[in-house]
Amino acid sequence: MSRPYNFSAGPAAMPESVLRQAAAEMLDWHGSGMSVMEMSHRGREFGQICTEAEDDLRALLGVNDDYAVMFMQGGATAENAIIPLNLIALKPEQAADYVLTGSWSRKSFKEAKRYGDIEVAAGAEHERRFGDVEQAPYTWVPPVAEWRVRPESSYVHFCSNETIDGVEFVEWPEAAELGVDDVPLVVDASSHFLSRPLPMERAGLVYAGAQKNAGPAGVTIVVARRDLLGHALPVCPSAFDYANVARESSRFNTPPSYAIYMAGLVFKWVREQGGLAAMASLNEAKARLLYDAIDASGFYRNRIEPSVRSRMNVPFTLADDALNDVFLKGATAAGLLALKGHKSVGGMRASIYNAMPLEGVRALVDYMQAFEKQYG
Ligand SMILES: *Cc1c(COP(=O)(O)O)cnc(C)c1O
């Protein structure tokens, strides 16, 4: 029996072949007589799993040894605190600037405020006009020319794909465009990590919770320029000090070993698919199919400025909210799962990460068109 298509925003669908391989290796990994979750994180076997995962990820991203690649715990939410704890003291003013483009960047900003002199670099206008973002979701990305980054800031933070609002940075700014020297970019790329080639070399630090597009929940990927490490505040927990984690190759303390193993299988799967360029063209085709269907109908609507529509998370509304429950019930019956939108935005959301095949999006579009015919 084939499995239904799962449009969950996260934890999200995994490639089926990865799940099958993990199932086959569950009781005995490569003749070791152990499940991966039963192994010492200091042993030879897990050492191999962790090193391969890091090597495969480096190959996919194209990052060299100027960057540390770390597997951590606590999710992107914990990173919202771990980042200022590690980086805010890069300059004596202990300041940082945040670009607001939606729910997640706003959460990052709020958390960071506990650790330094934090200001909004862009997006404040939206807040002034609409108040709480929960009342008025973001629909665009402020151009870099409008960002106000202070020269004394230790870094500038943005979220390159807003999972809830459905806006995506098509490009990441180059250092020269910021109008200040020596203010590294810090990027929450959780929900489009590995979806396409990303300009990692422009960033000082990129972080991503795995459960959107890179593996199961439990491991957070952090890629950071090594020269930014080693400046943690004295109160930073030692297990969250990037200098410790990087020095010990993600094994300063017990890492989320099984989640790293699963993410490692996903990295190999992405490489087998042809790497990030291949993922990008598949993801573009999927997104185009869905947005075209939405735009062609008078019944469905996506309100994001077309040039910054997310290729991973596609929120849309029905002409009549009273039909939402009927739509969702019919979708589940048709084998299309988890389409309910986030409560702050309402309507529907289709997350179409790497593991979602083109046929899954086609099945969704077919269902949407049949639904419109019946109820529109
Ligand atoms: C899901 C998500 C988070 C939060 O991740 P947790 O693992 O729940 O902490 C943060 N940022 C973005 C962009 C996300 O998609």
Side-chain angles (χ1 to χ4, degrees):
M1 204 189 80
S2 76
R3 305 172 80 225
Y5 295 114
N6 178 2
F7 294 89
S8 171
M14 299 270 287
E16 188 169 323
S17 62
V18 166
L19 295 176
R20 289 191 187 286
Q21 184 177 347
E25 294 176 347
M26 178 59 77
L27 297 185
D28 180 5
W29 183 81
H30 295 202
S32 66
M34 293 179 280
S35 172
V36 174
M37 56 183 107
E38 300 173 307
M39 292 172 181
S40 165
H41 62 293
R42 306 273 176 219
R44 185 177 51 82
E45 292 90 348
F46 185 72
Q48 183 189 330
I49 289 168
C50 197
T51 305
E52 267 182 40
E54 181 179 329
D55 291 348
D56 284 326
L57 182 56
R58 281 183 182 279
L60 281 171
L61 299 175
V63 297
N64 62 22
D65 202 51
D66 293 346
Y67 286 83
V69 170
M70 296 171 272
F71 300 122
M72 299 184 67
Q73 306 198 52
T77 303
E79 290 302 324
N80 287 338
I82 295 168
I83 286 162
L85 281 166
N86 275 276
L87 303 185
I88 200 81
L90 277 168
K91 290 184 188 159
E93 290 84 355
Q94 303 203 357
D97 297 314
Y98 279 65
V99 177
L100 305 186
T101 50
S103 299
W104 285 119
S105 53
R106 200 163 183 276
K107 283 213 168 98
S108 302
F109 167 67
K110 273 187 163 167
E111 183 76 9
K113 283 215 269 199
R114 304 165 66 181
Y115 301 100
D117 167 13
I118 310 296
E119 287 207 1
V120 178
E125 181 58 24
H126 179 96
E127 309 270 312
R128 265 196 297 279
R129 270 168 59 202
F130 301 108
D132 199 296
V133 64
E134 312 271 301
Q135 309 304 317
Y138 288 75
T139 55
W140 90 110
V141 166
V144 186
E146 289 172 17
W147 297 15
R148 284 192 314 266
V149 180
R150 296 170 290 170
E152 69 270 27
S153 285
S154 291
Y155 63 90
V156 55
H157 176 284
F158 66 99
C159 173
S160 51
N161 186 67
E162 290 278 5
T163 322
I164 292 173
D165 304 71
V167 294
E168 178 171 4
F169 282 69
V170 181
E171 263 304 338
W172 295 3
E174 289 194 68
E177 294 175 87
L178 294 175
V180 286
D181 290 331
D182 224 16
V183 181
L185 296 178
V186 170
V187 190
D188 178 357
S190 292
S191 49
H192 73 167
F193 195 66
L194 303 185
S195 71
R196 60 183 171 99
L198 294 170
M200 303 293 290
E201 70 290 347
R202 294 185 184 180
L205 185 149
V206 177
Y207 64 109
Q211 75 271 22
K212 308 297 164 56
N213 206 22
V219 58
T220 318
I221 294 146
V222 179
V223 180
R225 245 170 52 202
R226 289 192 196 275
D227 62 297
L228 303 178
L229 311 186
H231 301 272
L233 295 174
V235 295
C236 179
S238 47
F240 291 154
D241 184 333
Y242 293 138
N244 290 337
V245 180
R247 189 185 61 246
E248 303 295 335
S249 305
S250 301
R251 278 155 284 171
F252 176 75
N253 65 328
T254 315
S257 53
Y258 197 77
I260 292 172
Y261 156 72
M262 290 293 289
L265 295 183
V266 172
F267 303 155
K268 286 192 192 300
W269 176 84
V270 174
R271 294 191 74 180
E272 283 158 17
Q273 305 304 301
L276 298 187
M279 295 302 356
S281 54
L282 173 64
N283 289 328
E284 224 170 284
K286 281 151 50 184
R288 198 174 326 114
L289 183 61
L290 184 49
Y291 283 117
D292 282 354
I294 291 170
D295 291 344
S297 93
F299 184 75
Y300 301 105
R301 181 159 175 249
N302 168 282
R303 30 198 243 112
I304 308 302
E305 152 73 31
S307 65
V308 295
R309 283 172 161 178
S310 170
R311 279 159 275 186
M312 292 279 99
N313 310 99
V314 183
F316 61 92
T317 51
L318 276 50
D320 179 2
D321 273 341
L323 289 170
N324 286 354
D325 288 341
V326 189
F327 181 91
L328 288 167
K329 223 173 139 206
T332 303
L336 307 166
L337 308 182
L339 285 161
K340 192 174 165 58
H342 190 272
K343 59 184 185 307
S344 65
V345 179
M348 307 297 150
R349 172 175 49 175
S351 294
I352 49 175
Y353 299 120
N354 288 353
M356 174 63 61
L358 188 62
E359 300 76 60
V361 179
R362 231 178 249 132
L364 171 61
V365 167
D366 288 347
Y367 171 73
M368 289 168 70
Q369 288 169 347
F371 188 89
E372 178 176 358
K373 238 184 222 132
Q374 188 174 354
Y375 296 96

